[in-house]
Amino acid sequence: MIDAIEEALQPIRKSLQADGYDLVVNSFNQGVLAVEIQAGPQACVECLVPKELMELMIQQSVKNLASSVQVQYPVVSEAPH
């Protein structure tokens, strides 16, 4: 099942990687998929869609595989001015 989920998430993962992020599956338990968006050192903060939209996109990708999705977003810290 996890292989099917990973395959379903591949288009979103590729899009995120183009902006310096990665999509990691943390767990899949009783139909609940937990994923994390990780920011790389060159991540484009402005390029990341709002968390609610990302959750909808992921839910659509895995709609036949998972009953719900939990998304953890990266903590964005502002650089000192």
Side-chain angles (χ1 to χ4, degrees):
M1 178 65 84
I2 199 74
D3 288 340
I5 289 171
E6 290 283 358
E7 185 175 328
L9 293 174
Q10 207 49 30
I12 295 173
R13 180 176 285 123
K14 284 183 180 184
S15 177
L16 285 166
Q17 287 172 342
D19 293 326
Y21 294 92
D22 200 7
L23 175 63
V24 178
V25 174
N26 285 338
S27 66
F28 180 66
N29 191 0
Q30 297 179 343
V32 178
L33 175 64
V35 298
E36 180 179 357
I37 308 296
Q38 296 177 341
Q42 302 298 320
C44 170
V45 176
E46 297 84 24
C47 298
L48 192 57
V49 299
K51 183 177 179 180
E52 296 78 18
L53 180 56
M54 182 62 68
E55 286 175 343
L56 287 173
M57 291 167 55
I58 292 172
Q59 285 174 346
Q60 285 297 311
S61 295
V62 298
K63 63 183 172 188
N64 297 325
L65 305 169
S67 57
S68 68
V69 174
Q70 298 172 343
V71 178
Q72 180 180 345
Y73 251 42
V75 176
V76 179
S77 60
E78 293 285 327
H81 295 284

